[in-house]
Amino acid sequence: QVQLVQSGGGLVQPGGSLRLSCAASGIIFANYPVGWYRQTPGNQRALVARIVSSGTTNYADSVKGRFTISRDNAKNVVYLQMNSLKPEDTAVYYCKSAYGFAELWGPGTQVTVSS
């Protein structure tokens, strides 16, 4: 019942755009910071973007100016708009919310930026 559902991944060419969505059930997203992370094989998950309940955002240097995180509290959804995509952006992308003292992760979605 408490879960995050992701959508919006896929295959794009360099320079293209994708919008990832993370929809929450069982929790009120507006009350928590939410982050987008990405992971490639053999690497740890790395924070890409985060938005807190006030709306303040922060981004990894590698995506600043290209990615935008936002939330629609009425829909209980957090988005990651990804523009000017590069092959280096290829990864599995996960959304994450606070969940008590632990964390609630989405299932991940593949984003592939082909050369």
Side-chain angles (χ1 to χ4, degrees):
Q1 183 174 334
V2 178
Q3 63 179 20
L4 304 181
V5 177
Q6 298 181 217
S7 63
L11 173 66
V12 297
Q13 294 182 326
S17 298
L18 286 173
R19 188 181 72 165
L20 305 183
S21 299
C22 180
S25 298
I27 62 171
I28 301 174
F29 249 168
N31 295 339
Y32 303 101
V34 177
W36 284 98
Y37 297 73
R38 64 188 181 189
Q39 186 172 25
T40 54
N43 298 308
Q44 298 183 64
R45 291 183 188 181
L47 179 66
V48 174
R50 181 168 60 189
I51 185 167
V52 299
S53 59
S54 68
T56 300
T57 60
N58 64 275
Y59 299 90
D61 288 341
S62 59
V63 307
K64 285 181 179 177
R66 300 188 298 119
F67 290 11
T68 302
I69 187 171
S70 63
R71 62 163 87 229
D72 185 336
N73 291 333
K75 297 181 179 179
N76 222 29
V77 175
V78 172
Y79 302 99
L80 184 67
Q81 178 67 46
M82 304 184 293
N83 299 324
S84 301
L85 283 162
K86 305 175 180 179
E88 307 93 272
D89 297 317
T90 295
V92 177
Y93 284 72
Y94 301 85
C95 60
K96 187 208 76 175
S97 180
Y99 187 51
F101 290 116
E103 300 167 334
L104 179 63
W105 289 90
T109 186
Q110 178 70 44
V111 171
T112 301
V113 185
S114 65
S115 59

